[in-house]
């Protein structure tokens, strides 16, 4: 019966779901599915990925995923029963109650202000069991360290995005900087 169902949230990067999602119109049109796009300033994303992918330059454009994100967004906007709900990360971090309340209204989920804070995850946290995360060992902390150590949404001055951003300072290798700048300007 319907009361036995729970809400399921799936977070994924656009490059990882683009192929199957764009080829599954029934999924996109399912009235029980809501699409939420969490976006971030491309400049911050480029610098963050540079630091995370160990300068693996050929992967950058795919990992940033802006082309696939745009294609998914256009399809969802055109075909989803509920449209596309967009959250800008800076707005979420600066006023989480307002943004989450709007999201709850959009998805018909009760807004619970207490859910805007949570306990810090300690070393006993089972990432696979709780998050269904396939990364293992140090990769978890490499990619999700800020989330693991957080207890609430914080303002947009968290470590990966608070830069006096200048590509020359953040990406010292001129060849890497040129490639990242091309991806950023696409």
């Amino acid at each position: 019966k319907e009361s036995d169902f729970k809400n399921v949230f799936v977070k994924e990067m656009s490059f990882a779901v683009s192929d199957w999602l764009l080829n599954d119109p029934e999924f996109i049109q399912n009235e029980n599915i809501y699409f939420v796009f969490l976006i971030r300033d491309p400049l911050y994303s480029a610098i963050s990925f540079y630091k995370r992918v160990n300068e693996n330059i050929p992967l950058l454009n795919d990992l940033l995923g802006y082309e696939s994100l745009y294609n998914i967004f256009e399809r969802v906007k055109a075909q989803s029963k509920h449209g596309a709900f967009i959250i800008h990360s800076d707005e979420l971090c600066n006023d989480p109650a307002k943004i989450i309340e709007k999201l709850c209204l959009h998805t018909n989920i009760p807004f619970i202000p207490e859910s805007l804070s949570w306990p810090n995850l300690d070393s006993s946290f089972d990432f696979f069991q709780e998050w269904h995360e396939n990364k293992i060992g140090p990769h978890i902390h490499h990619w999700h360290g800020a989330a693991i150590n957080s207890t609430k949404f914080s303002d947009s001055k968290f470590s990966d995005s608070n830069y006096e951003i200048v590509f020359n300072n953040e990406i010292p290798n001129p060849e890497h900087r040129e490639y990242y700048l091309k991806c950023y300007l696409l």
Side-chain angles (χ1 to χ4, degrees), residues 52 120 131 138-150 160:
R52 295 283 190 261
N120 186 340
W131 288 357
H139 298 292
I140 291 285
H141 289 277
H142 179 74
W143 287 99
H144 307 299
I148 292 166
N149 296 311
S150 70
D160 281 342

Side-chain angles (χ1 to χ4, degrees), residues 4-178:
D4 291 339
F5 292 104
K6 295 182 179 182
N7 293 317
V8 175
F9 295 86
V10 177
K11 178 258 177 208
E12 193 52 82
M13 301 293 290
S14 60
F15 69 85
V17 297
S18 181
D19 288 342
W20 72 264
L21 187 58
L22 292 175
N23 293 307
D24 193 346
E26 290 178 24
F27 183 83
I28 293 174
Q29 295 167 7
N30 185 320
E31 66 182 30
N32 295 313
I33 297 176
Y34 292 80
F35 290 89
V36 178
F37 292 80
L38 178 63
I39 60 171
R40 185 179 187 195
D41 184 315
L43 186 57
Y44 298 138
S45 295
I47 299 300
S48 178
F49 266 107
Y50 181 76
K51 292 179 176 190
R52 295 283 190 261
V53 298
N54 298 320
E55 302 175 8
N56 191 344
I57 301 303
L59 292 177
L60 176 69
N61 201 33
D62 288 337
L63 288 174
L64 286 175
Y66 291 114
E67 182 176 359
S68 58
L69 180 64
Y70 178 77
N71 291 336
I72 293 169
F73 171 77
E74 286 295 312
R75 184 72 52 88
V76 165
K77 185 174 76 170
Q79 296 181 355
S80 172
K81 302 288 185 202
H82 307 287
F85 189 86
I86 300 172
I87 298 175
H88 192 288
S89 63
D90 285 341
E91 292 174 8
L92 175 62
C93 290
N94 291 326
D95 196 352
K98 176 183 172 184
I99 301 304
I100 297 301
E101 187 170 18
K102 286 181 180 180
L103 174 62
C104 289
L105 283 170
H106 177 76
T107 57
N108 298 313
I109 297 172
F111 174 62
I112 304 169
E114 297 80 31
S115 68
L116 296 175
S117 63
W118 49 86
N120 186 340
L121 304 176
D122 62 23
S123 59
S124 66
F125 182 73
D126 185 336
F127 300 98
F128 182 77
Q129 179 69 30
E130 298 295 327
W131 288 357
H132 307 284
E133 175 60 65
N134 291 326
K135 294 181 196 81
I136 56 171
H139 298 292
I140 291 285
H141 289 277
H142 179 74
W143 287 99
H144 307 299
I148 292 166
N149 296 311
S150 70
T151 58
K152 64 180 182 172
F153 291 103
S154 61
D155 66 22
S156 60
K157 295 176 180 66
F158 54 89
S159 62
D160 281 342
S161 67
N162 184 32
Y163 301 109
E164 294 296 323
I165 302 287
V166 177
F167 271 95
N168 292 347
N169 292 341
E170 296 293 336
I171 303 177
N173 181 314
E175 292 173 12
H176 295 176
R177 189 169 50 246
E178 181 180 341

